Amino acid sequence: MSGADGASAPSRADRLAQRLPERELDALLVSDLVNLRYLTGFTGTNGLALVGADGERTFLTDFRYLDQAEAQVPAEFAQIRGKESLLEDVAPRLAGRVGFDDEHLTVKAHEQLGAAVGEGVALVAAGGLVEELRAVKEPSEIERIARAATIVDEALGALAEAGLAGRTERAVALSLERDLCERGAERESFPIIVAGGAHGALPHASPRDEPIPSGSLVIVDLGAIVEGYCSDCTRTFATGALDGEAAEVYALVLAAQERALQAVRAGAGVVEVDAVAREAIADGGHGERFGHGLGHGVGLEVHERPRLSPRGEGTLAAGNVVTVEPGVYMSGAFGVRIEDLVVVGEEGPEVLSGFPKALVTVA
Ligand code: ZN
Ligand code: ZN
């Protein structure tokens, strides 16, 4: 991931440094651990990086992580052993206008830093700079996300074989969790959702010790992590013959999902892509029952930029990896959500989720 030496491509830290002048920053302090991992490869729980527009690249950690940092952090960073507070340790090195990560740094840490810096140092709120870089994935990142998506496809296939009706939501979630790991995931990328019948009408339902009824819909939403990178996928299964409305709503959500997928391409506005699904669902008479955004970016975190939502901003870029996940939630009855993970391309999406989307009945 480093391009520090010679003729190789600019490293992530170099690309970050190139963006500092447009924010009128001399340097950026990177304290968020996910951003730190992205820039340096460091996976420990205490570290800090200073990236300067002038070429400064400093990495600090404490004695517990020195060997790990030596192995993970590329040579473009000078490594410093910190003492107690890494922010206090880095303070004497700061000069000019220094951005800090206001989206992640606590008020207390900010005050501590402010007290430790010298005269003439301006601390400037500059959250989101690393997140903007992270939103556009490199091929090596897409490859890991795709592997995490394939593991989920396989786990859903095994679930369809194993059956759903009569098992508790919790038992299904636990077996999926174990299955993801046995298939090579580090772990699940978020707590797995298994929500049968009326419970499926809650978009963020946690699995209960309740048996899944037959003849209902069951929402299964899960993701895996491979080498730090997440996947995210939802399928809604039937556990037997459905009444007319459930099948109709399923067909409506599927049609909306497929229309929105066709709108996913570089340059498309995130609000506009969201609106494609939202209008399709509204035309079907269920506009008020799609209460969340259409999707979100996925990478080192399962929810990251860009956000596809009526309140989102900007346009999609080639290399974004996003979910497309419309849903309809029928209070007291059932819910339907269908979620694919896709790579945004110039001409359209590359869909990473491979499990069928036609309604699958699993008794
Ligand atoms: Zn999901
Ligand atoms: Zn999602």
Side-chain angles (χ1 to χ4, degrees):
M1 61 163 281
S2 167
D5 18 45
S8 51
S11 70
R12 292 173 182 174
D14 293 340
R15 285 190 281 131
L16 175 64
Q18 284 163 10
R19 303 180 78 149
L20 296 179
E22 66 199 52
R23 298 275 194 115
E24 297 179 346
L25 294 173
D26 297 306
L28 184 73
L29 263 181
V30 179
S31 54
D32 173 67
L33 290 173
V34 181
N35 287 338
L36 195 64
R37 177 176 187 165
Y38 178 78
L39 285 178
T40 70
F42 179 70
T43 59
T45 59
N46 191 31
L48 190 65
L50 179 63
V51 173
D54 64 354
E56 158 118 40
R57 304 280 184 274
T58 302
F59 178 86
L60 296 90
T61 188
D62 67 59
F63 70 96
R64 295 170 297 166
Y65 292 114
L66 292 175
D67 289 348
Q68 183 176 341
E70 183 73 28
Q72 292 179 326
V73 178
E76 65 180 316
F77 285 89
Q79 294 198 27
I80 291 182
R81 175 183 176 155
K83 291 185 284 291
E84 280 172 18
S85 156
L86 300 182
L87 287 171
E88 285 176 8
D89 295 328
V90 81
R93 308 183 68 88
L94 305 182
R97 289 172 57 83
V98 180
F100 71 95
D101 190 357
D102 58 311
E103 291 179 14
H104 298 285
L105 201 66
T106 64
V107 172
K108 193 176 159 208
H110 178 230
E111 283 172 358
Q112 187 189 27
L113 179 62
V117 297
E119 289 286 313
V121 175
L123 294 175
V124 181
L129 273 170
V130 182
E131 284 86 344
E132 284 167 20
L133 288 181
R134 279 169 48 193
V136 176
K137 270 66 181 178
E138 297 158 14
S140 65
E141 298 179 285
I142 292 172
E143 190 268 325
R144 292 171 193 177
I145 296 168
R147 272 195 282 148
T150 299
I151 287 173
V152 167
D153 290 344
E154 292 169 357
L156 287 170
L159 176 66
E161 296 282 311
L164 281 166
R167 302 171 69 193
T168 69
E169 293 172 353
R170 225 170 95 76
V172 171
L174 283 171
S175 71
L176 281 169
E177 192 181 318
R178 193 165 49 238
D179 196 24
L180 295 178
C181 293
E182 283 172 5
R183 292 174 193 277
E186 285 166 34
R187 61 181 184 279
E188 74 275 24
S189 57
F190 58 91
I192 294 171
I193 293 172
V194 178
H199 198 214
L202 307 174
H204 296 286
S206 355
R208 302 166 304 171
D209 279 315
E210 291 285 324
I212 294 166
S214 344
S216 75
L217 290 172
V218 186
I219 290 180
V220 179
D221 186 352
L222 75 171
I225 299 181
V226 169
E227 292 179 49
Y229 284 82
C230 300
S231 66
D232 188 5
C233 178
T234 307
R235 290 294 182 266
T236 301
F237 294 95
T239 57
L242 299 171
D243 73 50
E245 196 180 30
E248 270 170 36
V249 170
Y250 188 93
L252 176 65
V253 173
L254 179 55
Q257 203 266 352
E258 289 184 330
R259 271 172 63 180
L261 272 183
Q262 287 169 17
V264 168
R265 70 191 50 192
V270 295
V271 172
E272 284 70 35
V273 176
D274 174 276
V276 169
R278 209 160 291 285
E279 280 162 20
I281 288 174
D283 288 348
H286 292 295
E288 265 131 60
R289 300 189 179 92
F290 173 24
H292 55 74
L294 177 67
H296 52 87
V298 175
L300 285 170
E301 290 179 296
V302 75
H303 292 111
E304 55 179 56
R305 297 173 194 214
R307 185 164 74 133
L308 283 72
S309 139
R311 292 167 299 281
E313 282 172 19
T315 56
L316 294 174
N320 287 158
V321 174
V322 298
T323 68
V324 176
E325 52 176 308
V328 167
Y329 306 92
M330 306 291 285
S331 181
F334 61 86
V336 176
R337 182 167 63 256
I338 302 170
E339 175 179 29
D340 279 337
L341 188 58
V342 307
V343 185
V344 178
E346 297 292 348
E347 304 299 327
E350 178 197 343
V351 180
L352 300 178
S353 308
F355 193 82
K357 289 190 286 189
L359 185 59
V360 173
T361 300
V362 179

